[in-house]
Amino acid sequence: MSELTGTAATVVLLRDSDAGPEVLLLERPTAGSFGGAWVFPGGRVDPEDRADGEAEESAAVRAGVRETAEETGLVLRAGDLVPLSCWIPPENIPRRYQTWFFAAKAPAGDIHLNPGELLNHLWLLPAEALDRHRNGLMQLVPPTWVTLHSLTTDASADAALARIARAEPETFRTRSLAGYEPVTVFAWEGDDEYDGAGGGVGGASTPASGASLPARHRLVMDKTFWRYERTR
């Protein structure tokens, strides 16, 4: 198992609109990490974010507050951040950052992007961002896509934050499933193929008549047509 490169933090900023809660997405330059993608504010945990004896999540909270201010000019307090999820990339990528995702109500103020690191910003309904991705107008990476998908049914920013606060933050330890090429499939705990047991195209045969359907927790990525499947 390859070692993690480090820890990072991502902050999903929410604000209300007449059509429902919007999220802030930032466009990365084509060069560098997540080149050309639209992402939430965030970045890696730096040494100054750490304190002796504290959990890694606490350092990620401070990094999230710091990175949000550096990238957008919006100032948050540590207590504003609600833990949402933790993402661990697949084994087959060279730089693997464990990334804590937090949600927060966006404070009032204009967006001031960090020059050189970001090209543009948009406030969008989560469903609108997913539509742009599907139509080739916006590049998203899987953690951003899945997070946006999880926010499509909330009626307001406060409702989204309350729902997130009630739930236990979920860890998405990502595994890439073989045998589905040219489609890319990422799976997480709860999927029958997550531990290599097989099923469907990538493994065992289709269940016999009367047998229960296989459990699914995966993202199926066919070009820009992505589908999140979860049965548990």
Side-chain angles (χ1 to χ4, degrees):
M1 179 179 293
S2 63
E3 295 293 326
L4 292 170
T5 305
T7 301
T10 292
V11 180
V12 182
L13 290 172
L14 296 153
R15 75 174 188 183
D16 287 313
S17 74
D18 291 342
E22 295 178 328
V23 297
L24 178 64
L25 290 167
L26 311 177
E27 185 182 14
R28 296 283 187 194
T30 53
S33 59
F34 305 112
W38 288 79
V39 298
F40 303 117
R44 68 186 178 187
V45 173
D46 288 342
E48 60 265 30
D49 300 317
R50 302 184 183 279
D52 290 341
E54 282 193 339
E56 198 74 358
E57 183 184 348
S58 299
V61 168
R62 280 192 285 274
V65 170
R66 175 180 54 76
E67 288 283 348
T68 299
E70 290 175 0
E71 292 190 337
T72 71
L74 298 178
V75 178
L76 297 167
R77 299 166 299 176
D80 296 329
L81 273 60
V82 181
L84 173 59
S85 56
C86 182
W87 288 80
I88 300 173
E91 293 280 335
N92 60 346
I93 65 172
R95 300 180 67 191
R96 302 174 63 238
Y97 282 88
Q98 170 183 267
T99 303
W100 283 94
F101 274 56
F102 303 95
K105 188 78 167 287
D110 295 331
I111 303 298
H112 298 284
L113 297 180
N114 191 347
E117 288 191 17
L118 300 160
L119 300 178
N120 198 3
H121 77 278
L122 288 172
W123 287 99
L124 295 172
L125 299 172
E128 184 179 3
L130 296 176
D131 284 343
R132 288 184 179 220
H133 172 82
R134 184 173 58 252
N135 292 320
L137 303 176
M138 174 174 280
Q139 179 185 336
L140 300 174
V141 293
T144 307
W145 195 100
V146 173
T147 300
L148 288 166
H149 183 273
S150 74
L151 296 168
T152 55
T153 60
D154 294 302
S156 67
D158 286 340
L161 291 169
R163 174 184 59 78
I164 293 166
R166 289 193 300 268
E168 187 73 19
E170 183 168 11
T171 297
F172 289 80
R173 190 180 297 272
T174 307
R175 292 184 181 172
S176 182
L177 299 184
Y180 290 90
E181 296 81 3
V183 174
T184 300
V185 180
F186 284 169
W188 298 286
E189 186 175 359
D191 192 289
D192 275 355
E193 292 186 61
Y194 182 72
D195 293 318
V201 176
S205 59
T206 303
S209 178
S212 60
L213 294 174
R216 291 288 182 255
H217 186 197
R218 60 177 60 184
L219 181 63
V220 180
M221 295 168 282
D222 184 359
K223 298 180 181 177
T224 60
F225 294 89
W226 293 11
R227 183 176 71 256
Y228 185 60
E229 300 179 0
R230 187 163 196 174
T231 57
R232 293 180 180 175

